[in-house]
């Protein structure tokens, strides 16, 4: 069993029971802090679909941070852990890792959960305001050169900050946002052709290629699974 609760625009709390087994998770560019059997792992920013690891004996609890929010929480360059599952203790300084683990334990136990989640989410909210701007531009597929200029950066600086803060380049964020729109439309019952056109894909084969890489299934399979 899997359940998820959106906490704010920058975070979501999820719970997966060990009986759920493996599952295919579409790429979403997010970072997850995952508590499993008392250990906290970090699922780095995803730029391709992945299969979940088995849940622990007591299930798994996760906190998902929106694209661009986790670098400030973890205090690392996210490009170093893109598409990887890494123990928190291998990433953060000992004291910071301990505090994050204690916070995740409170989240899982529900004792002071709201305060604990708010503390982590607030760290992400302290990120530079350009992050929200980059996501807005990516949603509208604004060229990187124009996005950088609008954000008051050189294109080179913009690309460097994207890699460090999001864990991937601006072009990848555009692709993720486009695939997210298509998934949303297919869930709502749109045809594959309509989803491809409205989301900004060149044609249906383009949509299919992107879905195989980012979603892990064809558009038809995805639509059927969400029907």
């Amino acid at each position: 069993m899997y359940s998820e609760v959106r906490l704010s625009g920058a975070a979501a709390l999820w719970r997966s029971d060990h009986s759920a087994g493996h599952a295919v998770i579409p790429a979403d560019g997010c970072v997850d802090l995952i508590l499993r059997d008392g250990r906290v792992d970090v699922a780095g920013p995803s730029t391709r679909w992945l299969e979940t690891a088995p849940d622990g004996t007591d299930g798994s609890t996760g906190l998902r941070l929106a694209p661009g929010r986790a670098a400030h929480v973890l205090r690392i360059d996210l490009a170093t852990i893109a598409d990887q599952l890494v123990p928190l203790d291998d990433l953060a300084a000992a004291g910071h890792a301990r505090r994050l683990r204690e916070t995740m334990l409170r989240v899982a136990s529900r004792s002071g959960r709201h305060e604990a989640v708010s503390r982590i989410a607030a760290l992400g909210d302290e990120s530079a305001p350009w992050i929200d701007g980059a996501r807005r531009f990516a949603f509208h597929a604004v060229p990187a050169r124009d996005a950088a200029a609008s954000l008051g950066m050189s294109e080179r600086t913009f690309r460097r900050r994207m890699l460090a803060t999001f864990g991937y380049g601006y072009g990848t964020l555009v692709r993720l946002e486009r695939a997210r729109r298509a998934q949303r439309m297919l869930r709502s019952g749109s045809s594959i052709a309509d989803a491809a056109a409205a989301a900004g894909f060149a044609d249906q084969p383009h949509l299919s290629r992107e879905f195989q890489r980012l979603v892990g299934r064809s558009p038809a399979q995805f639509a059927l699974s969400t029907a």
Side-chain angles (χ1 to χ4, degrees):
M1 178 180 293
Y2 177 85
S3 61
E4 180 174 313
V5 177
R6 184 163 295 282
L7 304 170
S8 70
L13 180 66
W14 56 265
R15 173 73 183 172
S16 180
D17 187 81
H18 64 277
S19 62
H22 295 276
V24 172
I25 306 297
D28 58 11
C30 298
V31 172
D32 288 65
L33 299 179
I34 305 170
L35 176 65
R36 182 185 296 121
D37 288 338
R39 163 177 162 167
V40 177
D41 291 322
V42 178
S46 61
T47 64
R48 59 176 184 266
W49 70 270
L50 55 86
E51 185 176 63
T52 59
D55 287 320
T57 54
D58 295 321
S60 301
T61 298
L63 183 64
R64 179 171 298 119
L65 299 171
R69 299 289 184 173
H72 200 73
V73 172
L74 297 171
R75 304 174 186 173
I76 63 169
D77 182 331
L78 285 186
T80 62
I81 61 168
D83 297 309
Q84 299 179 54
L85 183 67
V86 185
L88 174 63
D89 289 341
D90 292 350
L91 294 177
H96 187 50
R98 183 180 64 255
R99 287 189 293 272
L100 286 175
R101 179 177 177 277
E102 290 171 350
T103 300
M104 287 301 298
L105 286 170
R106 292 179 65 188
V107 168
S109 69
R110 301 188 180 185
S111 175
R113 168 179 287 183
H114 180 73
E115 178 186 353
V117 169
S118 296
R119 184 177 303 154
I120 293 180
L123 289 174
D125 289 341
E126 293 173 6
S127 305
W130 70 269
I131 292 171
D132 291 332
R135 293 195 66 188
R136 286 195 303 272
F137 289 130
F139 180 84
H140 295 289
V142 174
R145 178 183 62 255
D146 296 337
S150 297
L151 294 170
M153 304 180 201
S154 68
E155 191 171 354
R156 181 177 181 179
T157 297
F158 180 52
R159 293 184 185 280
R160 175 175 55 79
R161 289 189 179 179
M162 283 293 306
L163 285 173
T165 307
F166 284 79
Y168 42 81
Y170 178 73
T172 297
L173 182 58
V174 171
R175 292 173 60 207
L176 290 167
E177 292 291 351
R178 188 166 52 205
R180 199 190 322 270
R181 289 199 301 275
Q183 290 173 69
R184 188 163 52 243
M185 292 190 67
L186 290 173
R187 286 194 193 97
S188 68
S190 296
S191 69
I192 295 174
D194 286 346
F201 291 91
D203 48 33
Q204 285 185 235
H206 182 203
L207 172 65
S208 295
R209 289 193 300 273
E210 288 291 89
F211 260 52
Q212 290 294 348
R213 174 178 173 79
L214 299 176
V215 182
R217 63 193 74 181
S218 70
Q221 290 170 327
F222 178 83
L224 184 63
S225 71
T226 58

